[in-house]
Amino acid sequence: MAQRLLRAARGLLGTDPENSPLFRIVGGLLLAANLLWNHRGPVPVWLWVVFGAAYAIFLIYEVFGDSRPRLVVPALIGCMMLSAVATGPWPDPNSVSAPVIQLWVTVGIFARQIAVSTRTIMTAVAVAAVLLIIGDLLAGELTTHVLTPVAILAIVLLMGLYRRQYRLQIHQTEMLLEQTRRAQQEHARAAALDERARIAREMHDVLAHSLGALTVQLEVAEGLLSEKGDVTGALTHLRRSHRLAQDGLTEARGAVAALREDVPPLPEAVRGLVEGYRRDRRMSVDCLVDGEPRAVQSAAVVSLLRTAREALTNAAKHAPGAAVTVALGFTPDRVRLSVRNPILSGTEPTEPPRARDENGGYGLTGMRERIALVGGTLSAGPGRDGRDWVVTAEVPG
């Protein structure tokens, strides 16, 4: 029961108590009582018409509140002017008359409207004050009796403007929050699109690299068997296909791990890759780590690992049996991976623009593109002494 009453009270009061239905209902009833009973002497008919029209126009605000400013603002201005006109001729000039109370209330409500500029508010209230002074002077009021309602009118105006400034700050805060919410939604949408693009890129790279090369090897093996009957050559290509399938499965697992962001730490992943090449290809590979290891983004880890795999594959192809060194270095703002192997006479080619590797990929050119996607750079070429071939990749981190 108490919760129902609390919800009902919230519904009546709303977020802005001054504009709540309950506040408007109570205010309208009090002003109606002021219209009917706040006079001692007889009121002329034309005054009833003028002041009654002022109250009738004020009822527009009572019905709509601040929700319809285009309708409510002209109504408040009209109510102010009619109340100011009726103030002077109203009976009982020595007491606080019904029209001046109506005028003060209307000015207080009008001055806090955020849909109206401050200049418009000041101008409208100034005109109402002039009409009030002229009406009182024409009715024979003393100067002191004229200045008192005008002074109170100025005080009410200042209070309304202060309240307007407070409401304006609330409105601006709400707009800022709404803009922030929309910006967050757009950011989340852009992040989702980026993630979709990354997923598509990872899957495309794995499928295009592994399955494409696997298809070529199987076609060659099929041709050797069907046309030449070369079982030995076909078995060689089938074994290569088997290795390609294993490599593709490894890459697919790495891509899925990157998408799930549970890839192992970079030094551990590099050591695992090196150990795999030692075991499967019987290569002599040293792994060095320099600097304080730290966490690196999963996309950068996958890009560096694929660069290292590509460089080790090229080293095994162009410098078989030579010692290879894989060095991983951590600087304050960068992570560097370099793969170095000796250049054997007549075996280490310079890299053509789109040289395909033995697995059907695009070698270091493709790795440059992948490293660039994570904001890094990649270079490949002879070392300073011209004896080693060095592949170096750097990414932010």
Side-chain angles (χ1 to χ4, degrees), residues 124-342:
V125 174
V127 173
V130 171
L131 293 177
L132 172 65
I133 294 173
I134 294 175
D136 285 347
L137 293 177
L138 291 177
E141 291 287 338
L142 298 177
T143 304
T144 55
H145 292 163
V146 176
L147 294 179
T148 300
V150 173
I152 297 177
L153 183 67
I155 294 174
V156 173
L157 172 63
L158 293 176
M159 294 175 61
L161 290 176
Y162 176 79
R163 181 61 182 171
R164 176 180 180 274
Q165 184 65 26
Y166 175 74
R167 297 182 68 209
L168 187 61
Q169 291 178 353
I170 294 178
H171 179 69
Q172 291 174 347
T173 302
E174 292 175 349
M175 292 182 61
L176 181 60
L177 291 175
E178 179 65 20
Q179 292 176 356
T180 302
R181 184 184 64 82
R182 292 180 180 178
Q184 290 175 345
Q185 290 179 347
E186 290 298 324
H187 179 73
R189 181 174 176 274
L193 293 177
D194 290 342
E195 185 66 13
R196 291 179 183 178
R198 187 164 75 94
I199 293 173
R201 185 170 61 250
E202 294 289 344
M203 293 299 101
H204 174 269
D205 288 348
V206 171
L207 295 178
H209 186 278
S210 301
L211 297 183
L214 181 61
T215 301
V216 171
Q217 297 298 325
L218 291 176
E219 288 177 353
V220 173
E222 182 182 5
L224 291 174
L225 288 175
S226 61
E227 298 178 3
K228 299 181 178 181
D230 187 358
V231 178
T232 303
L235 286 176
T236 300
H237 286 282
L238 286 176
R239 292 189 184 97
R240 185 175 296 175
S241 299
H242 182 263
R243 191 184 74 248
L244 289 174
Q246 289 180 332
D247 292 342
L249 181 60
T250 301
E251 291 188 4
R253 288 172 178 172
V256 172
L259 296 175
R260 295 174 57 187
E261 296 187 354
D262 57 359
V263 293
L266 182 56
E268 178 182 340
V270 172
R271 292 190 183 99
L273 179 65
V274 168
E275 183 61 31
Y277 272 80
R278 289 173 182 164
R279 180 184 63 252
D280 299 336
R281 303 206 181 196
R282 300 184 182 279
M283 293 176 61
S284 176
V285 187
D286 292 329
C287 182
L288 305 176
V289 178
D290 184 27
E292 184 67 25
R294 60 179 179 275
V296 182
Q297 291 184 353
S298 59
V301 172
V302 173
S303 297
L304 290 175
L305 289 177
R306 293 196 175 177
T307 299
R309 181 181 292 111
E310 189 72 33
L312 289 172
T313 300
N314 288 339
K317 175 182 178 182
H318 298 297
V324 182
T325 301
V326 177
L328 181 63
F330 292 88
T331 61
D333 58 347
R334 309 285 289 181
V335 178
R336 172 182 294 182
L337 173 73
S338 65
V339 180
R340 180 184 299 268
N341 63 274

